[in-house]
Amino acid sequence: MKKIGITLLLILFASIVALAQAPPTLEIRTETPGLPSELFYGNVKVKPVRLRPGTNQVITIDDIDFMVQQQYLDFLGRFPDQTGFQNWVTTVSACPNGGFGETDNPNCDRVHMSAGFVQSYEFQGRGYWLLRFGYVGLDRHIIDGARNRKSSLTYAEFIPGLQQIGGSNSPAQEEAAKVIYKNAFVQRSDFQALFPNAPAMSNSQYVNALEANAGVTLPNKQALIDGLNNSTMTRADVLRNIVESQVVFDKFIIPSFVDMEYKGYLRRDPDTVGYNNWIDTLTANPSDYRHMVFGFIYSTEYRSRF
């Protein structure tokens, strides 16, 4: 009986071990609703084999049309519109050497095309608009030497926000989404901790604190305080007004550019060393942005995504 009991225990133990070592399962993960999903085998990303319709020709990130589409997905949070897509494909297709290289043809290459998405009016009014809320409304400075350099918004915070106000929204839908976003932002617990409601923080103290947090001088500061005092503006209105001011736009354009290299190309938050180095480099010489973009789009980490 004892021998049988030991045998049963061994069988039970072996079964438990077998269950614990069960092979990983396939899982479809959708990061952004409406955009392409990814396939994982356990925690390992499965790279799909993309073929040209009706052929055995493999599509890679070196293909112009695929790379252009990826810029729309990564930086604008949407699929390309036909006109813009075709314009970029036509432009890069006409570039010498297929648009490859860093310094050969700076006005016609893949670096120029890719940088154009971060510099576009659409990104500045959506993605950069979101990042400026973090700079002004949260204690995540990346300019002042006395503070740690941090990403304005984490990747996990940024992507849902971009989908909320961007995507394929019309101008009216975008504006409605921005109103919802700014009203929700001032209700965040981390924002409330920095800028508590009255009477803990008066209207003038609130505006002064936002100005100090952004590290700028507001030319319309008194008008913002008056707007709060006479109830023609809410705290969310004031925050958005500061976010959309020219002084804030100008101050954070470089760190945002660097931040989006990580968020867009690598789909993650920046690592501290690389982040700081690129901010220092571009602050000293803004024209070096091409070298930065080149480094990201030809990096092993970026190319390994596809």
Side-chain angles (χ1 to χ4, degrees):
M1 290 293 293
K2 182 183 290 186
K3 190 172 183 179
I4 295 175
I6 293 174
T7 301
L8 289 173
L9 285 174
L10 289 174
I11 294 173
L12 178 60
F13 177 75
S15 300
I16 293 173
V17 170
L19 288 173
Q21 296 178 344
T25 58
L26 287 171
E27 177 187 3
I28 296 175
R29 298 181 187 176
T30 304
E31 182 179 62
T32 306
L35 297 186
S37 301
E38 294 181 333
L39 181 65
F40 282 80
Y41 182 63
N43 289 322
V44 178
K45 180 180 176 181
V46 179
K47 297 180 184 178
V49 176
R50 304 175 180 89
L51 299 177
R52 296 280 174 196
T55 74
N56 290 324
Q57 183 181 356
V58 178
I59 301 172
T60 74
I61 191 60
D62 288 335
D63 293 312
I64 293 172
D65 55 351
F66 181 70
M67 186 178 185
V68 169
Q69 175 176 279
Q70 200 60 46
Q71 308 308 300
Y72 281 90
L73 297 174
D74 289 341
F75 292 98
L76 304 184
R78 64 176 176 87
F79 281 104
D81 56 278
Q82 188 58 39
T83 299
F85 174 76
Q86 193 57 55
N87 285 343
W88 275 120
V89 170
T90 301
T91 297
V92 180
S93 297
C95 293
N97 192 33
F100 290 102
E102 178 183 356
T103 60
D104 296 346
N105 302 283
N107 294 319
C108 187
D109 59 18
R110 294 170 188 242
V111 174
H112 174 73
M113 180 270 292
S114 196
F117 279 83
V118 184
Q119 298 168 332
S120 69
Y121 178 81
E122 181 175 346
F123 176 78
Q124 290 178 356
R126 293 180 174 182
Y128 185 32
W129 185 88
L130 286 168
L131 293 177
R132 298 200 302 274
F133 270 83
Y135 298 138
V136 176
L138 303 174
D139 193 17
R140 299 177 183 177
H141 274 248
I142 52 177
I143 291 295
D144 298 340
R147 304 187 186 186
N148 291 327
R149 285 174 167 172
K150 300 177 183 177
S151 181
S152 163
L153 296 174
T154 66
Y155 181 77
E157 292 170 324
F158 176 79
I159 292 300
L162 183 61
Q163 187 68 12
Q164 177 183 340
I165 70 167
S168 300
N169 286 345
S170 68
Q173 291 171 325
E174 179 182 328
E175 175 57 27
K178 285 183 172 181
V179 170
I180 294 172
Y181 186 87
K182 62 153 178 138
N183 289 335
F185 196 93
V186 298
Q187 300 303 318
R188 290 175 55 135
S189 59
D190 47 0
F191 183 87
Q192 288 280 321
L194 291 170
F195 310 102
N197 292 322
M201 177 177 279
S202 68
N203 290 333
S204 60
Q205 288 174 326
Y206 173 70
V207 176
N208 286 331
L210 285 174
E211 180 184 52
N213 200 50
V216 299
T217 299
L218 298 172
N220 63 333
K221 180 166 69 174
Q222 189 56 52
L224 296 176
I225 296 172
D226 292 342
L228 289 172
N229 288 337
N230 60 31
S231 298
T232 59
M233 299 183 76
T234 66
R235 288 198 167 194
D237 293 333
V238 168
L239 173 62
R240 179 177 178 179
N241 184 282
I242 296 173
V243 162
E244 294 178 344
S245 67
Q246 191 64 46
V247 288
V248 167
F249 184 97
D250 293 341
K251 177 165 185 178
F252 296 108
I253 192 71
I254 286 177
S256 288
F257 201 158
V258 176
D259 195 8
M260 279 308 302
E261 299 300 287
Y262 289 90
K263 285 180 168 61
Y265 296 121
L266 307 186
R267 310 300 283 178
R268 65 173 172 85
D269 291 313
D271 55 273
T272 302
V273 174
Y275 191 45
N276 287 336
N277 286 344
W278 278 121
I279 291 175
D280 289 339
T281 298
L282 265 65
T283 300
N285 186 5
S287 65
D288 277 350
Y289 78 87
R290 281 185 51 85
H291 180 58
M292 177 182 67
V293 173
F294 177 85
F296 275 88
I297 64 176
Y298 292 107
S299 68
T300 300
E301 183 176 353
Y302 175 65
R303 295 176 64 82
S304 295
R305 288 179 53 198
F306 311 104

